[in-house]
Amino acid sequence: MIKIIDNYLTPIQCESITSLWDSSNVINITDYIYRFYGIDLIPHLKKVTGIIPKFKSCNFKKLRIQRTDESIVQVETKHTHLNNYSFVIFLNDNYSGGRLIFDKISVTPKIGSMVYFTKEEPHRVENCVSARFTLVGFLHNKLFETKMTLI
């Protein structure tokens, strides 16, 4: 199941989340599954839920800001997640490339848009030019309880 939700966050919320980027706490992930710079937001969950109140009911396994740019060559093999539910929210869209590619669809980044999906959906990230910031969450519980349009 893949669900795309346009305007899940406002540009102001996206900017507020991006402002939590702290260069002194960046991790660099480079392996055979994915590649990015990241910031763990679990220690800042109170700030995040202040910006995104909808997240107060979420049971996060991981929540982070991920940054990629032209210095990071993305893995071309698709991967899946262990958690039942995951999402990616595009925090900016002023770069080229960086699409989120699934077997069935390819999602062009649009600021504030969320892509919510289950662990059965193989995906990868396309290379990009300039900084691409995303909010990525891995959940123990469903984010949405209502019926969804399936892709």
Side-chain angles (χ1 to χ4, degrees):
M1 179 277 306
I2 303 168
K3 180 166 178 69
I4 301 169
I5 305 148
D6 287 332
N7 304 310
Y8 186 78
L9 297 184
T10 67
I12 291 171
Q13 287 173 307
C14 291
E15 185 177 319
S16 296
I17 293 294
T18 305
S19 75
L20 298 175
W21 183 264
D22 176 2
S23 296
S24 66
N25 288 317
V26 172
I27 57 169
N28 183 5
I29 302 295
T30 304
D31 61 24
Y32 67 96
I33 297 174
Y34 40 67
R35 298 177 180 152
F36 62 88
Y37 299 110
I39 298 285
D40 179 13
L41 290 181
I42 296 295
H44 309 285
L45 203 48
K46 200 168 199 173
K47 286 182 187 176
V48 172
T49 58
I51 298 166
I52 311 169
K54 307 175 218 191
F55 282 179
K56 288 182 181 174
S57 64
C58 292
N59 183 0
F60 289 104
K61 178 173 182 183
K62 293 182 183 179
L63 182 65
R64 61 185 174 223
I65 299 173
Q66 291 182 190
R67 179 185 186 274
T68 62
D69 60 33
E70 62 274 1
S71 71
I72 300 173
V73 177
Q74 293 299 323
V75 176
E76 293 196 21
T77 305
K78 292 179 182 142
H79 67 275
T80 57
H81 296 166
L82 297 176
N83 290 81
N84 288 332
Y85 307 99
S86 302
F87 67 80
V88 173
I89 299 174
F90 299 103
L91 298 175
N92 69 324
D93 57 12
N94 56 340
Y95 52 89
S96 60
R99 292 180 304 145
L100 185 57
I101 301 170
F102 292 89
D103 284 343
K104 301 172 188 171
I105 62 165
S106 175
V107 182
T108 300
K110 183 179 169 193
I111 189 169
S113 292
M114 172 191 273
V115 182
Y116 177 72
F117 54 98
T118 56
K119 67 180 182 180
E120 295 84 14
E121 300 294 344
H123 61 282
R124 71 178 189 85
V125 174
E126 178 183 62
N127 289 326
C128 67
V129 176
S130 290
R132 172 192 188 263
F133 287 93
T134 53
L135 180 63
V136 176
F138 301 90
L139 300 162
H140 293 291
N141 64 322
K142 290 181 182 179
L143 184 58
F144 302 101
E145 295 300 329
T146 59
K147 279 190 163 183
M148 292 187 250
T149 304
L150 304 181
I151 296 176

